[in-house]
Amino acid sequence: MEPAAATMLSGRRALPILLAVFALLAAAVTVSARGGAERAPTLVFILAGQSNMGGRGGATSGNRWDGVVPPECAPSPRTLRLSPSLRWEEAREPLHAGVDAGNVVGVGPGMPFAHALLRSPACPRGAVVGLVPCAQGGTPIANWSRGTEMYERMVARARVAGAGTGRVAALLWFQGEADTMRREDALAYAGRMEAFVRDVRRDLALPNLLVIQVRSSVSTPLIFPL
Ligand SMILES: *[C@@H]1O[C@H](CO)[C@@H](O)[C@H](O)[C@H]1NC(C)=O
């Protein structure tokens, strides 16, 4: 994966805001999985973007994932993923298996994010994280405008994920390299990103949905800064 600098769409203090969101959500946490039956998340995160989010760790040489799961990507009973067939299951790498179609997927940022969250003192007690993988390798932001396959798939998955005991806490967006190859794409990026966020917030009826945007460092040959 490319080194990345975390930035945020509206302001640069993503973590404090995220922690504030947890505080707000604490009151809404419901005890799920009574009797150990089907578990359900309490905090839901949408994971979208291109390969950096889809996950290529251990999958960049040869034609298969090497199967190595670093400790920060290990499964945990408190981290679920929404499967391609829209069911909650224990999250395991590769998180985007069956979602990031046509690509060799490996480990990505989703699991370390969930672990960090659950370790945070601000995380509500008993929280169960629900990850909703939606990324697709190589996609420019034009593939994510309202009405496109990627956008509609993401919104449909997010709606299912947010319909149960879990609240959609944030959208994690790790995308952009595909828009650094052509000058016109780079110049159009800010407007497209704004439209994307506006549309997602409206379609999910979450006008204050937190969006955490990660900016890729540019790759070669390059290119136009986003
Ligand atoms: C991205 O957009 C192009 C142009 O509309 C389209 O041909 C392609 O299928 C899209 N890719 C995905 C993954 O949606």
Side-chain angles (χ1 to χ4, degrees), residues 1-129:
M1 258 180 293
E2 299 294 328
T7 61
M8 217 197 108
L9 196 70
S10 50
R12 279 178 291 162
R13 293 177 303 147
L15 194 58
I17 293 174
L18 193 57
L19 297 181
V21 169
F22 296 147
L24 287 175
L25 289 174
V29 169
T30 11
V31 178
S32 58
R34 229 186 322 228
E38 191 169 303
R39 281 170 304 153
T42 57
L43 294 173
V44 169
F45 295 90
I46 307 161
L47 311 178
Q50 53 180 111
S51 63
N52 309 74
M53 182 58 88
R56 297 294 184 271
T60 50
S61 62
N63 228 359
R64 49 187 284 279
W65 177 46
D66 64 13
V68 175
V69 179
E72 63 270 27
C73 299
S76 138
R78 292 175 67 193
T79 304
L80 309 178
R81 84 150 186 167
L82 192 72
S83 76
S85 56
L86 306 176
R87 307 181 75 90
W88 290 113
E89 60 188 16
E90 188 167 285
R92 289 179 180 280
E93 297 288 9
L95 208 51
H96 273 78
V99 176
D100 189 346
N103 295 307
V104 180
V105 286
V107 305
M111 294 298 284
F113 173 79
H115 281 293
L117 204 65
L118 290 167
R119 272 199 312 270
S120 164
C123 187
R125 281 173 75 85
V128 175
V129 172

Side-chain angles (χ1 to χ4, degrees), residues 136 139 143 149-150:
Q136 178 66 45
T139 46
N143 276 107
E149 185 187 345
M150 290 301 110

